[in-house]
Amino acid sequence: MYAIVRQYTYDPATIARAGQALAAAQGLHAAQPGYAGGIVVDDGQHFIAVNLWQSEHHAAAGRAAIGTQVQRLLEPLMATPSQLLGAGEVVATDLADHQ
């Protein structure tokens, strides 16, 4: 499994009206081959998003397929550009398989 971790700084007033755009971005990810799920943490000022993929190849293909669309959806909601915090192989997880 491969993970990409990004931080998105948002304006709370803007994000309060952003449900459709956030759901659309999630839907784009979920439709990609090799997408294994995600976690988004809201600390009150940032979203910290962890996107999980079956492999680095799947992550790269997903980004190529939907990167521009996701950016177009999320960029207007953010106070600053997203920041890549890290990417790499998942070495441990205890996430339950809910499928």
Side-chain angles (χ1 to χ4, degrees), residues 52-69:
L52 301 170
W53 299 86
Q54 291 176 359
S55 69
E56 184 176 3
H57 170 77
H58 285 107
R63 182 177 175 134
I66 65 170
T68 301
Q69 294 169 301

Side-chain angles (χ1 to χ4, degrees), residues 67-87:
T68 301
Q69 294 169 301
V70 170
Q71 184 177 8
R72 199 173 18 239
L73 286 166
L74 298 183
E75 198 169 82
L77 309 175
M78 300 301 132
T80 62
S82 69
Q83 179 182 4
L84 177 65
L85 300 179

Side-chain angles (χ1 to χ4, degrees), residues 1-5 39 50-53 88-96:
M1 188 176 306
Y2 188 80
I4 299 173
V5 182
I39 298 167
V50 180
N51 290 321
L52 301 170
W53 299 86
E89 291 298 318
V90 174
V91 295
T93 180
D94 65 355
L95 294 174

